[in-house]
């Protein structure tokens, strides 16, 4: 029994932190983080300079709201442009009050590409969870604005292998490579081919020549 004036010392012992397979996880290592639902959480930081960028992401963000996805940029951006043929084509978002009547783009979705204009350099920080295995984006004949979700650069021939030669024009944009990038399958356009690989977190215009195609994104 414990009487008045007695002291008692309590000690606690905690076992090692383990991952989902029971293996110890060292502190401060690059281990996947899981949320309360047991899903892996992905975080990406994309440094962006002032000017135009064609960006994308390939996981499910915590919220698809445009302002939430881009919240890490603060007031560093002023224009966001998208394109989705199934939603009527071109979409736009402007931060300027005088242009808000033209705001038709409200959500940013995985596997899509988006034009993003920054007024000052900043870092886009994105957080979300992996897409279900086999997730694809339906492509329509004509122009499509898609995102590449691989973790490393991939040659066009490899990335487009599942599209059955249905893409005849690919356009990209990378300020670090001089701006506009292009690839044409037509032999007479070969001199204009300066796009050879798809880059992580980049967006691309694809011109699709047949129906029923699905974009895997990586």
């Amino acid at each position: 029994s414990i009487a008045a004036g007695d002291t008692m010392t309590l000690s606690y012992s905690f076992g090692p932190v383990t991952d989902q397979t029971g293996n110890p996880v060292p502190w401060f290592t690059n281990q996947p983080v899981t949320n309360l639902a047991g899903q892996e959480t992905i975080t990406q930081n994309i440094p962006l300079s002032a000017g135009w960028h064609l960006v994308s992401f390939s996981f499910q963000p915590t919220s698809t709201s445009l302002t939430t996805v881009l919240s890490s940029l603060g007031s560093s951006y002023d224009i966001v442009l998208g394109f989705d043929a199934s939603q009527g084509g071109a979409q736009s978002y402007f931060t300027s009050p005088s242009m808000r009547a033209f705001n038709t783009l409200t959500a940013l979705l995985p596997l899509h590409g988006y034009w993003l204009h920054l007024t000052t350099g900043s870092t886009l920080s994105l957080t979300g969870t992996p897409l279900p295995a086999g997730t694809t984006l339906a492509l329509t004949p004509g122009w499509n604005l898609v995102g590449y979700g691989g973790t490393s650069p991939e040659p066009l021939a490899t990335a487009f292998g599942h599209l059955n030669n249905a893409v005849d024009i690919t356009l990209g944009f990378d300020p670090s490579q001089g701006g506009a990038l292009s690839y044409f399958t037509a032999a007479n356009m070969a001199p204009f081919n300066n796009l050879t690989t798809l880059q992580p977190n980049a967006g691309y215009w694809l011109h699709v020549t047949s129906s029923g195609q699905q974009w895997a994104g990586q």
Side-chain angles (χ1 to χ4, degrees):
S1 63
I2 301 174
D6 289 347
T7 61
M8 180 174 60
T9 301
L10 299 177
S11 63
Y12 297 88
S13 176
F14 295 94
V17 177
T18 60
D19 61 21
Q20 291 174 307
T21 62
N23 297 316
V25 177
W27 290 105
F28 306 114
T29 58
N30 187 24
Q31 298 288 337
V33 178
T34 59
N35 59 22
L36 293 178
Q39 296 174 302
E40 180 183 343
T41 298
I42 299 172
T43 299
Q44 293 181 341
N45 296 307
I46 308 171
L48 301 171
S49 59
W52 284 103
H53 297 270
L54 190 48
V55 302
S56 68
F57 54 91
S58 59
F59 54 86
Q60 187 63 43
T62 305
S63 168
T64 59
S65 164
L66 182 150
T67 54
T68 300
V69 173
L70 301 181
S71 60
S72 61
L73 296 177
S75 59
S76 297
Y77 72 97
D78 59 350
I79 306 172
V80 188
L81 304 176
F83 183 89
D84 188 343
S86 68
Q87 299 294 319
Q91 300 171 307
S92 57
Y93 178 86
F94 301 89
T95 61
S96 171
S98 64
M99 296 293 289
R100 288 179 182 172
F102 302 98
N103 287 356
T104 57
L105 181 61
T106 59
L108 301 185
L109 305 175
L111 302 184
H112 290 254
Y114 297 97
W115 286 100
L116 180 59
H117 185 263
L118 270 69
T119 55
T120 58
S122 187
T123 296
L124 175 59
S125 296
L126 303 170
T127 300
T129 55
L131 296 174
T135 298
T136 59
L137 176 65
L139 301 177
T140 59
W143 287 106
N144 298 263
L145 185 52
V146 304
Y148 173 65
T151 57
S152 60
E154 186 170 15
L156 263 66
T158 304
F160 292 170
H162 65 289
L163 294 178
N164 304 311
N165 299 314
V167 177
D168 61 347
I169 305 173
T170 307
L171 304 177
F173 183 83
D174 187 345
S176 69
Q177 298 188 55
L181 302 170
S182 58
Y183 180 83
F184 302 87
T185 60
N188 65 327
M189 297 294 287
F192 300 98
N193 290 351
N194 62 350
L195 175 61
T196 59
T197 59
L198 302 187
Q199 301 292 332
N201 298 120
Y204 297 93
W205 287 97
L206 305 185
H207 187 263
V208 179
T209 59
S210 63
S211 61
Q213 303 298 325
Q214 298 286 327
W215 174 241
Q218 54 188 353

